[in-house]
Amino acid sequence: MKNFLLLIALTLVIQNYSFSTELKVTNVRAVDRDDVANTPVSVIFDISWKNSWHNSKNHDAIWVFMKFNGYWDNHAKLAPTGHRILKNRSKNDKPPFIEVSSDSLGFFIYPPKSFRGAANYKLQIALDTTNQDISWSKLKGLSVHGVEMVYIPKGSFTIGSPDKEAINRASLYKSDANGKPAGLITISSENEIEVGPIKNALYYWSEETLYNGDQKGPIPSNFPKGYNAFYVMKYELTQGQYAEFLNGIPDNWTYLRSPIGGRDYYKKRGSIKFKNNHYYTESPHRPMNYVSFTDGLAYSDWAALRPITELEFEKAARGPSQPISSEFPWGTNNYDQLERYVTMDSELTNSNQSDESELNDQTRPVFGASYYWVMDLSGSVWEKVITIGNPLGRQFRGTHGDGILNFGNATNKDWPQSDDELGGFGYRGGGYYDTGTSYGDYNPHSPIGYRYYGAWSGGPRYIAYGYRAGRTAEAD
Ligand SMILES: [Ca+2]
Ligand SMILES: [Ca+2]
């Protein structure tokens, strides 16, 4: 302990960041190696977030990663072990779980079992000093970033929707020998899925290949189907997170990635501004709209995450429960109880009577929360997901970003790369277009199984289009 105190003189205090939703990372400082106490170069910071949980079904988690700002090759690698919990200010005094990813690009932290409430820890995270050059000047530019996520456990689930109406919205079903619906498909492994008008194969109605999909397959075994465990962002990507990303990439890449510039950007919920050489927003919690798919992919690569597939979207929404007709992610086929809405001043919020701390399995329809308590999968902004309805989508293998972009673009070879209708992704969940626009099949909420635009790769930046990233879990 004495040696540890001596280290204070050698520490660097780094700019504090606060993040989207209720997540805060503060008091960040780097600590030099101390050979006497056998501590490696490490980073100390406080991390706290509200409404965390770990119950018998699943848990939330923060994906934490670090950047050496000012460097092109700037993603910090973490040591596999040697991390410490310096303080636990949560009401449960059991330690949190810390799981460093096998690619060393970040870690998940989540609370101990039987936990519900505010999580608050002071951590000391060891950096990998073997496989990266760490200088004191590099540490000066260090920033720590966090993303709230939800763990979706391994297990079988059923896709599609049992109502006839959903068939005309290109929902996925089990085919009879002639391509007609003969029940629903249960995904009970990551094995290849046959697609076509073949008995027991996956199939769907399609009047427009560009929108609904090419009705072809197979969906390969290494295409992430949602059977294996994965993490998905608890909320849609926010404007605060996207501003953080823009501040973390080199100047000449911001030309490509910045949404600022369109004449109606600020009229239609856009809030990111640029001042004193810095992107910022006064509405950091607002869902990020005006995000193209290539923007979303660039964010995913930078944050060492990945896009999710439309099958993973259905798993995150419905879990293992049996689909009901026109079902929304909160488990009913109506929004009678829903208190989550976009205000006249463009914020996404819960009405005064409800607070997210009251979310439980019974109040899901109030908060619009999915089976696993993922928020806003239906409603708010449309979610861009990898489609099964196009060869560029089906070649997706679920690789993770490595933190490093190429001139502002994601570099993963298996990810689709274009917004101009070449294909590879599509839209799920419906979107909010403007104050006063009427409700419809997709506006602003769409049932889980509806996928009329499930293979439409057009529509770059727009008021109603958002993004949500994921990551494959390494433990079941
Ligand atoms: Ca949404
Ligand atoms: Ca990359």
Side-chain angles (χ1 to χ4, degrees):
M1 196 57 193
K2 193 179 161 198
N3 286 319
F4 177 68
L5 288 173
L6 287 173
L7 288 178
I8 300 300
L10 294 172
T11 62
L12 267 175
V13 177
I14 293 159
Q15 185 183 353
N16 289 339
Y17 283 78
S18 71
F19 299 96
S20 61
T21 65
E22 301 288 357
L23 171 63
K24 288 191 172 69
V25 176
T26 53
N27 302 320
V28 179
R29 59 197 170 95
V31 183
D32 202 357
R33 179 192 302 279
D34 175 30
D35 291 329
V36 182
N38 197 28
T39 58
V41 176
S42 60
V43 182
I44 294 175
F45 56 93
D46 294 309
I47 185 165
S48 65
W49 69 105
K50 288 184 184 168
N51 306 324
S52 179
W53 76 86
H54 192 160
N55 58 32
S56 58
K57 197 160 68 178
N58 73 328
H59 58 79
D60 74 339
I62 310 295
W63 169 245
V64 183
F65 57 99
M66 304 182 194
K67 295 282 179 176
F68 301 117
N69 292 327
Y71 289 80
W72 167 78
D73 177 9
N74 68 356
H75 201 99
K77 293 191 177 71
L78 310 182
T81 56
H83 315 293
R84 297 199 286 181
I85 295 137
L86 302 180
K87 274 184 194 159
N88 179 355
R89 304 185 190 94
S90 310
K91 63 179 178 185
N92 187 325
D93 43 1
K94 284 190 196 139
F97 293 90
I98 292 180
E99 291 173 359
V100 178
S101 63
S102 57
D103 56 15
S104 312
L105 299 178
F107 67 92
F108 285 105
I109 178 168
Y110 55 95
K113 285 178 182 167
S114 304
F115 185 95
R116 178 67 168 148
N120 190 328
Y121 308 105
K122 182 180 279 294
L123 306 178
Q124 181 171 17
I125 299 299
L127 297 180
D128 176 358
T129 46
T130 318
N131 301 304
Q132 71 190 336
D133 169 40
I134 297 177
S135 62
W136 204 238
S137 62
K138 223 171 169 181
L139 284 173
K140 271 185 195 166
L142 189 99
S143 57
V144 180
H145 306 264
V147 180
E148 281 186 76
M149 302 191 83
V150 175
Y151 178 75
I152 312 295
K154 180 178 181 175
S156 300
F157 67 107
T158 302
I159 53 175
S161 189
D163 49 315
K164 276 189 184 159
E165 192 55 35
I167 303 301
N168 297 327
R169 304 289 191 277
S171 74
L172 306 172
Y173 59 75
K174 186 190 285 182
S175 175
D176 68 8
N178 303 305
K180 299 292 179 223
L184 298 178
I185 296 257
T186 295
I187 293 181
S188 51
S189 76
E190 291 285 339
N191 292 346
E192 179 179 293
I193 298 175
E194 188 177 32
V195 180
I198 306 155
K199 189 172 169 57
N200 293 331
L202 184 154
Y203 203 52
Y204 50 94
W205 170 93
S206 178
E207 69 174 353
E208 188 69 67
T209 301
L210 195 67
Y211 288 158
N212 321 127
D214 62 7
Q215 300 173 297
K216 292 184 179 140
I219 305 168
S221 58
N222 44 15
F223 178 96
K225 298 174 192 67
Y227 175 75
N228 284 343
F230 64 101
Y231 285 92
V232 64
M233 284 167 64
K234 189 190 290 182
Y235 306 93
E236 294 155 334
L237 179 70
T238 65
Q239 306 213 11
Q241 284 172 318
Y242 199 78
E244 193 182 314
F245 159 67
L246 289 173
N247 288 323
I249 61 175
D251 293 345
N252 55 346
W253 298 356
T254 57
Y255 292 101
L256 275 181
R257 298 282 78 94
S258 170
I260 302 173
R263 191 174 287 147
D264 55 359
Y265 174 70
Y266 295 111
K267 290 181 198 159
K268 295 186 173 175
R269 302 187 76 202
S271 75
I272 295 175
K273 293 175 182 162
F274 184 72
K275 196 177 176 184
N276 298 331
N277 207 33
H278 193 73
Y279 290 93
Y280 73 102
T281 167
E282 282 147 19
S283 301
H285 302 219
R286 192 182 292 180
M288 180 66 195
N289 63 352
Y290 284 93
V291 59
S292 70
F293 192 61
T294 44
D295 293 335
L297 293 179
Y299 176 84
S300 298
D301 191 358
W302 177 81
L305 296 169
R306 65 164 172 85
I308 62 165
T309 70
E310 59 173 314
L311 300 179
E312 290 177 317
F313 177 93
E314 291 208 21
K315 169 78 175 277
R318 187 187 286 120
S321 60
Q322 206 50 35
I324 62 168
S325 296
S326 304
E327 182 181 12
F328 292 107
W330 49 88
T332 75
N333 57 11
N334 60 67
Y335 24 75
D336 296 349
Q337 298 175 68
L338 197 63
E339 292 185 6
R340 194 159 167 86
Y341 66 102
V342 179
T343 62
M344 292 297 278
D345 59 356
S346 293
E347 301 298 341
L348 175 66
T349 187
N350 304 320
S351 66
N352 289 337
Q353 288 76 33
S354 59
D355 182 276
E356 219 175 302
S357 62
E358 296 156 8
L359 171 61
N360 58 43
D361 283 344
Q362 284 68 49
T363 59
R364 283 171 47 210
V366 175
F367 295 94
S370 84
Y371 178 87
Y372 294 112
W373 299 2
V374 181
M375 301 293 285
D376 310 313
L377 282 171
S378 172
S380 187
V381 286
W382 282 97
E383 318 241 341
K384 294 168 197 269
V385 292
I386 302 283
T387 186
I388 63 158
N390 179 278
L392 290 174
R394 290 191 296 270
Q395 74 172 19
F396 181 64
R397 299 293 177 262
T399 62
H400 294 133
D402 62 358
I404 313 300
L405 305 180
N406 181 30
F407 294 101
N409 286 308
T411 55
N412 296 58
K413 296 275 184 292
D414 60 316
W415 297 6
Q417 296 290 342
S418 172
D419 292 315
D420 48 10
E421 300 195 334
L422 284 181
F425 67 98
Y427 292 84
R428 288 296 195 101
Y432 171 90
Y433 285 83
D434 216 343
T435 309
T437 46
S438 58
Y439 280 70
D441 288 344
Y442 300 99
N443 177 21
H445 305 99
S446 165
I448 301 167
Y450 284 25
R451 56 179 294 287
Y452 192 87
Y453 304 103
W456 183 46
S457 300
R461 293 189 184 119
Y462 195 56
I463 179 173
Y465 303 158
Y467 189 73
R468 186 190 307 259
R471 196 172 220 277
T472 305
E474 296 186 38
D476 289 337

